[in-house]
Amino acid sequence: MPEEIAGWELSRHGDQEHYRKRLANGVTVHARWDGTGTVEAYVEPAGIGRTLTSSRKEFHDKEAFFTAARLVVDMSANLPSFRMGAETHADHVLTGEVAGSVDAMPGSGGVPEAELKFTLTDGRSVTLILTEDQSNDLTSSIHSLSKHVWSEQHEEQPQREAEVPDVSEVEAGPDTGHELMVVLEQRFGVTQDFLLAHVDWSAVVVVGEPAVSTLLDRVDELTEAIAPRWFPGAVERPGEVWVVLHRAFA
């Protein structure tokens, strides 16, 4: 039974893993791994369609294999349509207003990738899979908007005198990722064995039982304990649920 991983259709035959991605312009990218890997792109239907490109050598490193497969997808997606009567190589642009926050998760393909999940106000859910370089470019672009565009617009708004809240009895929550881990262990019994962390500590992911159930059952207490620097969320993964503790950046 085929399954889906990181946007690829995956089927297994013995020790072989076959990855397939069908593109809107009629091109299919196929990648095979059985300890060594090969990648090719062809025009449907397979077998009688035209091969556009194929790797000249076998890959012995799985990360290099996935990188090559992603590059072939990027190249193939920019080709004109190979479908009969079609003039465009892609469907119309999907546009919609994002509802709530954006979930950012590590990629599930075993390589440095990010999965961004958007829920739109019309009820649709969209997941974008970005390479490490694309994620860095996106972060840099948004930072540039914040610094050079949005900040200027905020400065143009009339300034109001802000009320100063009484924080004399407020207990400060954890600041760094390491302080967060101490709170999780001391207050909730969740040890490091159940934790995954992003490289930049922008999020800490709790996986496995009984840690996940404990935090979900005590979510109000958890929210209060880690505020204001961190806030919790739940993400459904195939066959399991993760609790994601996001870093709140000012």
Side-chain angles (χ1 to χ4, degrees):
M1 177 70 66
E3 56 185 297
E4 184 170 314
I5 179 171
W8 292 81
E9 297 176 25
L10 169 61
S11 59
R12 306 177 191 271
H13 304 283
D15 294 333
Q16 290 189 356
E17 299 174 355
H18 293 268
Y19 298 86
R20 182 171 60 179
K21 186 183 289 286
R22 295 186 176 95
L23 307 181
N25 57 359
V27 178
T28 295
V29 178
H30 173 255
R32 176 189 57 79
W33 178 264
D34 58 2
T36 60
T38 57
V39 182
E40 68 173 347
Y42 55 84
V43 180
E44 291 280 22
I48 61 175
R50 177 157 58 98
T51 299
L52 302 179
T53 186
S54 60
S55 53
R56 297 183 178 180
K57 64 176 183 178
E58 293 185 335
F59 295 92
H60 296 274
D61 177 82
K62 199 166 189 179
E63 182 171 340
F65 161 71
F66 274 119
T67 299
R70 181 58 184 263
L71 290 174
V72 173
V73 169
D74 291 345
M75 176 201 71
S76 302
N78 288 311
L79 295 175
S81 177
F82 289 87
R83 300 189 184 278
M84 294 297 294
E87 298 297 331
T88 177
H89 66 280
D91 295 333
H92 63 279
V93 176
L94 174 63
T95 303
E97 182 179 354
V98 176
S101 60
V102 178
D103 290 328
M105 300 296 299
S108 57
V111 294
E113 290 180 333
E115 294 185 11
L116 306 182
K117 184 177 181 180
F118 301 82
T119 300
L120 306 185
T121 53
D122 62 8
R124 290 175 296 176
S125 179
V126 181
T127 299
L128 305 181
I129 302 173
L130 309 180
T131 65
E132 185 176 17
D133 289 340
Q134 290 171 328
S135 300
N136 292 337
D137 290 342
L138 176 62
T139 302
S140 177
S141 298
I142 293 178
H143 175 72
S144 180
L145 281 175
S146 176
K147 184 176 182 180
H148 302 294
V149 180
W150 296 337
S151 60
E152 294 180 1
Q153 294 176 354
H154 291 318
E155 290 173 359
E156 294 173 359
Q157 299 294 326
Q159 299 296 319
R160 298 179 181 178
E161 184 176 349
E163 296 182 3
V164 180
D166 182 8
V167 295
S168 58
E169 297 183 2
V170 175
E171 181 179 351
D175 184 11
T176 67
H178 294 288
E179 292 174 355
L180 174 66
M181 294 167 66
V182 171
V183 171
L184 291 175
E185 183 168 0
Q186 291 183 349
R187 293 193 56 172
F188 302 94
V190 176
T191 63
Q192 298 184 25
D193 296 336
F194 297 96
L195 303 181
L196 301 173
H198 287 197
V199 174
D200 58 357
W201 286 99
S202 60
V204 173
V205 184
V206 181
V207 299
E209 295 294 346
V212 170
S213 295
T214 297
L215 296 184
L216 292 178
D217 292 341
R218 302 168 62 184
V219 65
D220 292 338
E221 180 184 351
L222 172 65
T223 302
E224 181 178 356
I226 65 177
R229 296 293 187 185
W230 301 83
F231 59 95
V235 176
E236 292 188 7
R237 305 296 295 176
E240 61 179 341
V241 177
W242 292 357
V243 174
V244 183
L245 309 177
H246 299 276
R247 183 83 158 92
F249 293 97

